[in-house]
């Protein structure tokens, strides 16, 4: 199997390393908007670099992995679909619902595969939480609490292209609330604060946000995120039911300290970022993609799932700006999808 990797930045490099080691992947063709970067990575891995995307098509591949800037995702997905190629793409498909829906529609019309990179679905903690909920271990689920804390903000120049805190960061939590619980979001109320560095206000973004989601069975989900969590990288989810309560992301590297006399000590080596925290999950999602391409498993996260997470993010953005509750049915661009 030969796979083309478009984009050789941080995540593209991680995925290229995973694929280059895979026993079922014979070779890679790498390309990047900065050709020298693709050349350097290809040299380190013993793979081939292409001067551009066109060459990947003319030289021939069996599948594509897209890790470019978000602005290029939808177009690249559409081109791959028209060429009959299965695609793995980092989230999001696009920063708007129209572009996302168009790309998903092209994939579905062509009958090809689009697997989205929501890597937390492959983390053992979240997998365990999903099993606990689905097995009935927690009883009736009544409350979900989730948080995502980045230890420092991204460069100021990245903020205008990120889509904002809800679309860029909390979208992972929106996806996981649906995936773990198997329920759909029916309404949201969201608020945000831009009281941190001025670059957030200049980008019309917030550095800290919160959202209260109501699910279709009445479960309440309270989600928070910040780009200013100086203690370290902190991603957790708590699920409380009538029988039991569990937490994802609580271990000896969680950057939190107890004020109780008998509480656990602060972490000696707190998580520094998402690449370190979710490294095994990033590898697992690419291994899954190879299995999908080989016809050995079903797609674990298709474009419709990404569309639904973006609809929740859009609803939160409307809620924050208009200071009101927003029902998901107000956000056009795709209906709820059933879970397997």
């Amino acid at each position: 199997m030969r796979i083309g990797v478009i984009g050789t930045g941080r995540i593209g490099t991680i995925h290229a390393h995973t694929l280059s080691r895979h026993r079922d992947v014979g070779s890679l063709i790498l390309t990047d908007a900065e050709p020298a970067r693709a050349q350097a990575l290809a040299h380190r891995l013993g793979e081939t670099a292409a001067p551009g995307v066109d060459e990947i098509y003319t030289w021939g591949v069996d599948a594509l992995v897209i890790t470019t800037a978000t602005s290029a995702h939808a177009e690249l997905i559409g081109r791959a679909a028209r060429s009959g190629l299965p695609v793995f793409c980092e989230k999001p498909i696009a920063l708007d619902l129209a572009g996302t829906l168009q790309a998903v529609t092209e994939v579905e019309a062509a009958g090809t595969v689009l697997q989205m990179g929501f890597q937390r679905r492959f983390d053992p903690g979240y997998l365990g939480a999903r099993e606990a909920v689905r097995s009935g271990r927690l009883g009736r689920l009544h409350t979900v609490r989730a948080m995502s804390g980045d230890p420092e903000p991204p460069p100021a120049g990245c903020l205008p292209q990120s889509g904002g805190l809800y679309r860029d960061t909390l979208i992972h939590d929106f996806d996981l609330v649906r995936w773990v619980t198997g329920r759909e979001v029916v309404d949201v109320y969201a608020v945000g604060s831009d009281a941190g560095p001025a670059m957030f206000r200049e980008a019309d973004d917030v550095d800290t946000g919160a959202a209260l989601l109501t699910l279709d069975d009445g479960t309440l989900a309270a989600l928070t995120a910040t780009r200013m969590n100086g203690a370290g990288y902190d991603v957790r989810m708590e699920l409380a039911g009538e029988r039991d309560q569990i937490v994802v992301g609580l271990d000896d590297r969680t950057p939190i300290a107890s004020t109780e006399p008998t509480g656990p000590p602060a972490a000696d080596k707190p998580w520094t970022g998402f690449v370190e925290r979710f490294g095994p999950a990033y590898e697992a999602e690419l291994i899954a993609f190879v299995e999908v391409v080989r016809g050995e498993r079903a797609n674990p996260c298709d474009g419709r799932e990404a569309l639904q997470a973006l609809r929740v993010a859009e609803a939160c953005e409307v809620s924050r700006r208009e200071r009101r509750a927003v029902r998901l049915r107000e956000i056009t661009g795709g209906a709820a999808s059933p879970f397997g």
Side-chain angles (χ1 to χ4, degrees):
M1 181 188 303
R2 174 185 270 189
I3 296 180
V5 179
I6 306 176
T8 55
R10 179 164 52 172
I11 298 301
T13 296
I14 291 171
H15 291 336
H17 274 274
T18 297
L19 294 169
S20 187
R21 296 192 304 264
H22 199 291
R23 66 180 183 275
D24 294 322
V25 178
S27 61
L28 303 178
I29 302 178
L30 313 176
T31 192
D32 193 273
E34 299 179 19
R37 186 163 63 178
Q39 287 278 3
L41 179 59
H43 178 74
R44 292 198 302 272
L45 297 178
E47 303 289 356
T48 302
V53 174
D54 290 344
E55 285 77 11
I56 282 186
Y57 281 92
T58 57
W59 295 354
V61 293
D62 301 299
L64 285 176
V65 170
I66 299 171
T67 63
T68 62
T70 296
S71 58
H73 287 183
E75 181 181 351
L76 290 170
I77 290 169
R79 180 174 182 179
R82 295 188 295 272
S83 299
L85 289 174
V87 170
F88 174 94
C89 184
E90 280 299 324
K91 66 86 184 169
I93 295 174
L95 293 179
D96 63 292
L97 288 168
T100 299
L101 185 58
Q102 179 178 346
V104 170
T105 301
E106 284 202 74
V107 170
E108 293 175 347
T112 55
V113 169
L114 170 60
Q115 180 183 328
M116 294 303 301
F118 281 100
Q119 88 284 352
R120 295 186 197 177
R121 290 187 179 208
F122 294 85
D123 176 72
Y126 287 106
L127 286 163
R130 187 175 193 265
E131 173 59 27
V133 172
R134 304 302 182 90
S135 69
R137 169 185 159 188
L138 306 186
R140 182 186 71 85
L141 187 67
H142 53 74
T143 307
V144 179
R145 292 177 288 269
M147 69 164 294
S148 291
D150 290 325
E152 58 185 18
C158 295
L159 289 177
Q161 286 79 43
S162 73
L165 188 70
Y166 297 100
R167 299 185 190 94
D168 186 45
T169 300
L170 273 165
I171 197 164
H172 283 286
D173 298 288
F174 300 148
D175 175 66
L176 286 168
V177 165
R178 297 181 60 252
W179 184 72
V180 168
T181 67
R183 313 306 307 190
E184 293 294 344
V185 179
V186 295
D187 61 48
V188 309
Y189 188 86
V191 294
S193 170
D194 62 3
M199 65 182 185
F200 290 99
R201 293 183 291 280
E202 292 166 359
D204 194 24
D205 195 5
V206 295
D207 60 75
T208 303
L212 178 62
L213 281 52
T214 304
L215 309 188
D216 58 12
D217 65 345
T219 300
L220 299 180
L223 281 56
T224 63
T226 182
R227 298 188 188 273
M228 306 298 297
N229 199 60
Y233 183 74
D234 193 2
V235 170
R236 281 177 278 140
M237 173 181 276
E238 299 173 4
L239 298 110
E242 292 181 341
R243 295 179 185 170
D244 203 355
Q245 180 172 235
I246 57 175
V247 59
V248 180
L250 182 61
D251 58 22
D252 60 0
R253 299 194 65 183
T254 304
I256 191 169
S258 174
T259 60
E260 298 296 334
T262 59
D268 289 332
K269 288 182 61 179
W271 296 108
T272 59
F274 63 91
V275 172
E276 184 185 31
R277 167 67 177 85
F278 291 110
Y282 278 113
E283 182 173 354
E285 67 180 355
L286 263 293
I287 292 172
F289 178 60
V290 173
E291 293 172 350
V292 170
V293 174
R294 289 172 57 84
E296 297 171 351
R297 67 176 292 173
N299 189 346
C301 186
D302 63 21
R304 288 281 167 181
E305 297 294 281
L307 176 63
Q308 289 305 104
L310 182 60
R311 291 182 68 234
V312 179
E314 290 288 326
C316 285
E317 194 59 52
V318 172
S319 176
R320 178 182 76 86
R321 292 180 182 278
E322 299 184 4
R323 295 183 176 273
R324 67 178 180 90
V326 175
R327 296 191 66 82
L328 260 290
R329 65 189 181 195
E330 297 179 45
I331 308 301
T332 59
S337 60
F339 287 83

